[in-house]
């Protein structure tokens, strides 16, 4: 496919520039290596050269020019990947309200043709700010990589896989575009789409329009003389550029609804949210959709009415959400985790541990935070696991990743070592201080 | 004969009564409500009063006779909370006079805003409802509910008890969208603590208002030179003296519990109203304190998603089992005619038919303190009578004739008139 | 049948596995189309195969003794808004691109509550904020199934229109936070919007016709979901359910539909239908009305509960609908109002909440009466369904038991225990102290 070729080329270009000046050769010795793509290797060495993994295994010896890190009690993981996030992207800000601006709000959209809530052409890698505080925060949490997406609007824009370190945004980009991020939030009652079904109809019309637009452009390109040129439509260009679409779906009914909708578009689809996925895991397996599971498990509201009778189905969702990953794994659905707003390293580990406690295999959990995201986005050939030739993104911990006492020792991103800031106190303690 | 004496006295007293208010309903099945049903009996109405009941009554020669063969005679029904005459067209605010501005308006009287020409009155009447509470409902103390007859040239004609109760809309903590009796708007609190804080503030205001009223009561009794009349506080005196009950609307269990607490603290005689949720403890307390309850529509959705589908259908039978005095109300104007069906709806869910009937007749009269005049077919009571071809609580039943204080009631309505007019449109 | 999933965690859904044969014995059967018959109903593979005074029970058949019970066809509601995650695409005056089919909510407890009121099928309609609204979806109340499992397979699609106060409201006031007024502001404008939309649809139809006649070497026209739904209407493939109140607007729509060459399948609400019953009958339109609602707005002030009876007598196909998740639970009692107001026969009254509604959705070959060949959608009452003292005991859809009062009662304790367990588990420490509960003293 043309689109993915462009992506690969761009990724390669990004790597070349990331290489830059010569990097130290690093050998992590005597560690427990969780490759993600294969078995866990005890007492093994990982050699990193020029930003890439050079070798891994129990019999690998550290090269003479290597900076050797003795790691007898350390665990080496592929760099943790947040499969859907906005790390490093500026917070969506409303347009500046200059004089006069306040008196002229955008006119209400009259239908799909006005392309409301649409910025499908926006690309995440063009928005990444390497010095954004969230880049550091993500790294502190053990993430080396993130699939970042613009999130404002219904067609929010196109995601990019970025490494969470670099001086320039261009150096950070690993792959782009990953896909089109869709939300299903109506624009309010008076502007189209003003309802969930309006949003669905809008999305459907846009994909129909995109296909018609492509055909029209192709016909014009083949024989422009004597034909009226098709009007350029950036909203459709953005949709056509996106190799896949991401649709929100938390509840079983939404997972089914979005799967059926996506099937109409005949494009690879990723469903995100997925807390109720256990109820429809076999169905999802059959549909072939990929799933991103939010690690922000549903919780009770912070200051609830003690007498409000929450519905049993909401209580059940809270109870069962952490079991969704295990069910997906069992059914053979390709899934990955995303932080979903959980920032503190301890909270993240606790969230993954909940999934493990609910039946998810530990190594499957590791894959869901590493290789699976790369596979879902079609970049597993050069990142996501500890294999020779892949990008040297590694997360090194002082214990098994999902034990509460475990700390992130350091991460390697494109072969460069970063040490995390001391972990922030856990949320509970902070609240008490307040 | 004793009866003749009564007749004479009644004639002297009830100058509005005329010869047309004296008649005999013969061979009817009587449902007096105050006692067991009586098949094939007669009812003698003299000057608007039920003068005698029995199978073979001697009546003055020339008395008009209504043949009740195959028909059923009931007392007129009472709707214990309505906006009849106060709200004509729901969506047109110019036609509604239900909710006044301000939190404390005990001086307001619903009856003065009842439009005797409202189309809702004949419509409600035509299905056997003869009396209703007109209920104001703005702010916290909304004003005085009045009990009225659903017929009259003026609201004064209709007046049965113009200050039947003071309406207190009990404040609630509500974070939910559908709290039926709560005052939820755009300013719904974001958290429970915030809601609780606002509730406490409102409750404090309410307490202060009662304190002010008590101080005023003392000042008035003391009769000091500086005493000046305050119309709001003056209106509270019958409440403080226990002469006027407070009708407290509270929908959910917390509000009901809070309302009971408040009433105890302030030593108020209350009628609970609009209640949709009870706990066994609440039922016991309500029973122990002898508080009567006005129930909103039985045919209503459960309050919470997981509640049993029949949660609201079973409330009347729960109250009955506990021995609590209760009556039904529609809290509406256009749907008052369906009051008997709200009562009937509780029957398949455990309430006996006769208790359902009582809750729209005699028990309502008891709650409003007018059981000496209305609510049952008994000697000496007003002849508010409904003659029907079947069970009054069944939808299919047709009302054949009605009397209010012995006066025959016109059963035609805006609805029958429109129907008659267009049914006669040529093909 | 399309794939459907059972989404329920509890055991509420499909209370019985579908036995191949089921015989309901000793029932008072209100067939609606063929009067009352005391006897038995034989169901096989979800369909009624025989209704007779006596039926020989086939070997292996399940038998239900319905002694003392009345069996009527499952109630059909031609106007409901339950089980949908959105109702109104209120932004535009023509919103035919949207449809309830996309947002069916199988978790809506209203489905179960409707079922407990004997409803087995409902027409889920778009709201009335626009002259031409969204597409409708017919659902069976198969509680526990997913959206696909709820959908009435094979039901003809529908669309909502709306006349009068609602669609013109946003032309008269910038409500709901709008900054601009939206055309139309009058009933004249409502007519204009609908005419314009159909003229557009005809142009679109012609464009596609021309393309299909000679596709070679041409790019297909852009598909327009909004106009496609209207082309369906023009081609008789989509039923129009038009919200209306006043006689003038009803007549306007009839004349407009005649002019543009389509039919109005039902007039919804149609509170003044009695004034133009002749014209509605001549158009062949049905009327789906309330039994006795009135006076909630100006256009509902000339309502009369005799409406259904008058229209019925003038030859209009009449159904009584709920438009409410509550009223929906006792449509049988609403039918009794047609007997009260206008003395409609009991069979005709029951038809107004069953077969007539089914006819208005063109699914009467499948449901709406108790006849051989029809889906075994049945409601069992412990009294005559036109009595206020009757309640639903069991409800079957496709021969499967979906509601059983005894089982409902039996499961309550279990559900309540589960709630308590989960609530306790999910409690956070900060939820506990200092909260007032019911009955706790203020001090």
């Amino acid at each position: 496919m043309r689109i993915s070729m462009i992506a690969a080329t761009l990724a390669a270009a990004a790597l070349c520039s990331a290489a830059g000046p010569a990097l130290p050769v690093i050998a992590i010795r005597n560690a427990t290596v969780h490759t993600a793509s294969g078995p866990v290797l005890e007492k093994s060495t990982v050699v990193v050269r020029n930003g890439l993994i050079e070798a891994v295994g129990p019999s690998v010896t550290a090269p003479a020019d290597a900076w050797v890190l003795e790691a007898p009690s350390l665990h080496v993981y592929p760099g943790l990947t947040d499969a859907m996030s906005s790390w490093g992207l500026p917070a969506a800000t409303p347009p500046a309200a200059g004089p006069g601006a306040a008196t002229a709000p955008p006119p209400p959209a009259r239908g799909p043709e006005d392309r409301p809530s649409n910025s499908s052409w926006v690309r995440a890698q063009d928005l990444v700010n390497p010095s954004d505080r969230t880049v550091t925060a993500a790294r502190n949490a053990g993430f080396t990589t993130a699939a970042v997406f613009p999130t404002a609007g219904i067609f929010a824009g196109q995601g990019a896989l970025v490494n969470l370190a670099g001086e320039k945004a261009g150096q950070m980009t690993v792959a782009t575009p990953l896909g089109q991020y869709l939300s299903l939030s109506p624009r309010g009652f008076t502007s189209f789409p003003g309802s969930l079904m309006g949003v669905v109809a809008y999305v459907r019309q846009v994909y129909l329009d995109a296909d018609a637009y492509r055909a029209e452009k192709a016909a014009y390109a083949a024989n422009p003389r004597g034909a009226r040129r098709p009007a350029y439509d950036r909203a459709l260009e953005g949709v056509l550029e996106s190799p896949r679409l991401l649709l929100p779906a938390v509840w079983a009914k939404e997972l089914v609804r979005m799967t059926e909708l996506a099937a109409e578009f005949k494009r690879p689809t990723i469903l995100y949210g997925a807390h109720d996925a256990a109820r429809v895991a076999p169905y999802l397996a059959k549909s072939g959709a990929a799933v991103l599971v939010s690690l922000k498990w549903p919780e009770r509201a912070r200051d609830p009415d003690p007498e409000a009778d929450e519905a049993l189905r909401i209580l059940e969702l809270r109870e069962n959400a952490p079991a969704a990953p295990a069910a997906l794994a069992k059914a053979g659905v390709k899934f990955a985790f995303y932080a979903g707003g959980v920032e503190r390293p301890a909270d993240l580990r606790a969230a993954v541990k909940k999934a493990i406690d609910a039946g998810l295999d530990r190594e499957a959990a590791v894959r869901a935070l590493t290789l699976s995201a790369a596979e879902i986005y079609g970049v597993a050939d050069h990142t996501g696991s500890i294999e020779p030739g892949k990008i040297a993104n590694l997360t090194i911990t002082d214990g098994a990743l999902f034990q509460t006492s475990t700390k992130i020792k350091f991460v390697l991103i494109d072969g460069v070592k970063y040490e995390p800031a001391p972990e922030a106190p856990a949320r509970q303690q902070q609240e008490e201080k307040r | 004969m004793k009866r003749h004496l009564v007749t004479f006295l009644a004639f002297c007293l009830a100058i509005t009564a005329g010869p047309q208010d004296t008649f005999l309903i013969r061979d009817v099945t009587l449902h007096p409500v105050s006692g067991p049903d009586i098949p094939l009996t007669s009812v003698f109405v003299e000057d608007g009063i039920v003068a005698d009941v029995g199978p073979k009554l001697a009546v003055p020669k020339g008395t008009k006779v209504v043949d009740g063969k195959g028909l059923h005679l009931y007392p007129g029904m009472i709707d214990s909370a309505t906006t009849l005459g106060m709200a004509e067209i729901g969506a047109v605010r110019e036609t509604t006079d239900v909710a006044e501005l301000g939190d404390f308006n005990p001086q307001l009287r619903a009856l003065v805003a009842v439009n005797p020409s409202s189309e809702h009155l004949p419509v409600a009447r035509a299905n056997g409802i003869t009396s209703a509470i007109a209920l104001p409902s703005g702010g916290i103390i909304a004003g005085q509910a009045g009990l009225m007859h659903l017929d009259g040239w003026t609201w004064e004609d209709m007046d049965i008890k113009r200050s039947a109760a003071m309406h207190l809309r009990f404040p609630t903590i509500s974070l939910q969208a559908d709290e039926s009796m709560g005052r939820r708007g755009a300013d719904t609190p974001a958290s429970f603590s915030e809601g609780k804080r606002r509730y406490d503030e409102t409750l404090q205001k309410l307490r202060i208002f009662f304190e002010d009223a008590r101080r005023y009561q003392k000042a008035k009794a003391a009769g000091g030179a500086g005493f000046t009349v305050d119309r709001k506080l003056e209106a509270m005196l019958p409440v403080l003296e226990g002469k006027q009950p407070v009708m407290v609307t509270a929908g959910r269990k917390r509000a009901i519990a809070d309302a009971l607490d408040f009433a105890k603290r302030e030593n108020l005689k209350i009628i609970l109203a609009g209640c949709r949720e009870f706990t066994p403890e609440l039922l016991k307390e309500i029973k122990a304190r002898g508080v009567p309850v006005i129930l909103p529509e039985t045919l209503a959705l459960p309050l919470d998603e997981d509640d049993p589908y029949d949660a609201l259908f079973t409330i009347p039978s729960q109250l009955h089992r506990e021995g609590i005095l209760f009556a039904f109300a529609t809290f509406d104007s256009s749907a008052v005619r369906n009051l008997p069906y709200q009562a009937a709806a509780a029957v398949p869910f455990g309430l006996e038919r006769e208790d359902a009937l009582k809750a729209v007749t005699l028990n309502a009269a008891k709650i409003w303190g007018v059981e000496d005049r209305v609510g049952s077919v008994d000697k000496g009571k007003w002849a508010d009578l409904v003659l029907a071809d079947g069970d009054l609580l069944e939808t299919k039943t047709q009302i054949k004739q009605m009397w209010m204080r012995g006066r025959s009631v016109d059963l035609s309505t805006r609805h029958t008139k429109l129907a008659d007019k267009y049914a006669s449109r040529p093909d | 049948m399309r794939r459907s999933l059972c989404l329920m965690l509890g055991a509420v859904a499909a209370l019985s596995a579908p036995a191949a044969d089921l015989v309901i014995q000793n029932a008072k059967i209100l067939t609606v189309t063929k009067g009352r018959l005391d006897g038995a109903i034989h169901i096989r593979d979800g369909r009624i195969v025989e209704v007779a005074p006596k039926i020989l029970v086939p070997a292996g058949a399940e038998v239900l003794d319905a002694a003392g019970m009345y069996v009527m066809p499952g109630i059909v509601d031609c106007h409901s808004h339950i089980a949908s995650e959105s109702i109104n695409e209120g932004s535009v005056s023509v919103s035919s691109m949207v449809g309830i089919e996309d947002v069916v909510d199988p978790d809506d407890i209203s489905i179960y509550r409707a079922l407990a009121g004997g409803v087995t099928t409902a027409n889920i309609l778009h709201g009335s904020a626009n002259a031409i609204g969204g597409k409708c979806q017919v659902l069976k109340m198969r509680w526990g199934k997913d959206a696909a499992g709820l959908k009435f397979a094979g039901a003809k699609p529908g669309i909502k229109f709306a006349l009068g106060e609602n669609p013109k409201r946003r032309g008269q006031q910038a409500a709901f936070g709008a900054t601009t007024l939206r055309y139309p502001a009058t009933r004249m404008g409502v007519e204009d919007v609908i005419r314009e939309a159909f003229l557009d649809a005809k142009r679109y139809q012609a464009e596609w016709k021309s393309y299909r006649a000679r596709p070679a070497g041409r790019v297909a026209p852009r598909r327009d979901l909004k106009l496609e739904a209207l082309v369906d209407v023009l081609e008789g493939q989509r039923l129009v359910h038009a919200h209306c109140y006043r006689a003038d607007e009803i007549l306007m729509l009839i004349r407009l539909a005649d002019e543009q060459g389509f039919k109005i399948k039902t007039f919804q609400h149609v509170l003044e239908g009695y004034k133009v019953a002749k014209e509605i009958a001549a158009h062949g339109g049905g009327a789906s009305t309330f039994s006795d609602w009135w006076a909630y707005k100006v256009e509902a002030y000339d309502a009369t509960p005799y409406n259904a009876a008058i229209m019925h007598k003038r030859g209009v196909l009449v159904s009584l609908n709920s438009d409410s998740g509550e009223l929906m639970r006792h449509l049988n009692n609403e039918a009794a109002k047609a007997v009260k107001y206008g003395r409609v026969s009991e069979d005709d009254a029951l038809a107004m909440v069953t077969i007539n509604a089914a006819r208005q959705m063109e699914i009467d070959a499948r449901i709406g009466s108790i006849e051989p060949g029809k889906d075994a959608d049945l409601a069992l009452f412990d009294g005559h369904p036109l009595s206020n003292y009757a309640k639903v005991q069991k409800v079957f859809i496709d021969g499967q038991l979906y509601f059983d009062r005894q089982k409902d009662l039996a499961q309550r304790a279990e559900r309540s225990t589960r709630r308590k367990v989960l609530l306790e588990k999910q409690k956070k420490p900060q939820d506990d102290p200092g909260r007032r509960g019911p009955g706790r003293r203020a001090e």
Side-chain angles (χ1 to χ4, degrees), chain A residues 105 108-113 189-201 204-205 208-209 212 215-216 219 251-254 256-257 260 279-280 283 299-304 306-307 309-316 318-320 428, chain C residues 2-3 5-9 85-92 97-100 102-107 126 129 146 148 170 175-180 219 222-226 415 418-419 422-423 425-431 435-438:
Chain A
R110 296 151 300 178
E113 296 74 17
F189 198 65
T190 58
S191 182
F192 185 88
S195 64
L196 178 61
M197 64 186 152
V199 175
V200 172
R204 182 180 284 130
Q205 183 70 62
L208 284 174
D209 286 354
E216 208 185 343
W251 290 91
K253 62 186 174 188
E254 294 168 337
V256 173
R257 180 185 296 149
E260 290 187 349
R279 289 163 73 193
V280 286
Y283 167 83
E299 286 185 341
R300 194 155 190 229
R302 297 198 20 92
D303 184 12
E307 280 184 26
D309 283 336
E310 277 186 298
L312 191 52
R313 71 190 159 83
I314 290 171
L315 302 180
E316 294 284 11
R318 249 177 237 152
E319 182 67 13
N320 297 325
Q428 203 71 40
Chain C
R2 294 181 62 201
R3 161 215 55 81
L5 297 162
C6 182
L7 291 177
M8 294 305 297
L9 293 172
E85 282 185 63
S86 53
I87 304 299
N88 254 312
E89 176 53 51
S91 59
V92 287
M97 72 292 272
V98 311
I100 301 294
D102 289 328
V103 290
V104 170
D105 181 2
D107 293 345
H126 183 274
D146 72 349
R170 288 210 23 240
F176 309 107
T179 48
T180 50
V219 178
R222 168 185 181 260
R223 279 184 63 192
D224 186 317
L225 296 173
K226 179 174 88 175
R415 284 175 66 79
R418 176 75 181 151
R419 277 189 66 82
L422 290 179
L423 273 174
K425 265 177 103 171
Q426 293 171 10
K427 219 174 200 178
K428 289 182 187 169
Q430 81 259 20
D431 292 346
R435 306 282 191 205
R436 291 187 57 208

Side-chain angles (χ1 to χ4, degrees), chain A residues 303-313, chain B residues 173 175-176 191-193 253-254 304-306:
Chain A
D303 184 12
D305 183 337
E307 280 184 26
D309 283 336
E310 277 186 298
L312 191 52
R313 71 190 159 83
Chain B
I173 312 173
L175 311 183
Q176 291 182 345
S191 69
F192 180 74
S193 315
K253 57 189 178 190
R254 178 166 55 213
D304 293 309
E305 182 172 320
D306 293 330

Side-chain angles (χ1 to χ4, degrees), chain C residues 164-191:
Chain C
E165 291 180 20
N166 293 10
K168 74 195 179 91
R169 180 164 301 129
R170 288 210 23 240
Q172 294 179 326
Q173 43 176 319
F176 309 107
T179 48
T180 50
L181 295 176
R182 183 192 78 180
Y183 189 87
T186 65
R187 286 179 168 83
M188 301 180 286
V190 171
E191 186 206 31

Side-chain angles (χ1 to χ4, degrees), chain A residues 27-53:
Chain A
I28 304 168
R29 199 150 67 179
N30 259 332
T32 305
V33 180
H34 304 256
T35 60
S37 53
V40 179
L41 307 171
E42 302 291 343
K43 292 189 174 26
S44 292
T45 300
V46 183
V47 179
V48 168
R49 184 189 295 275
N50 199 25
L52 298 173
I53 296 165

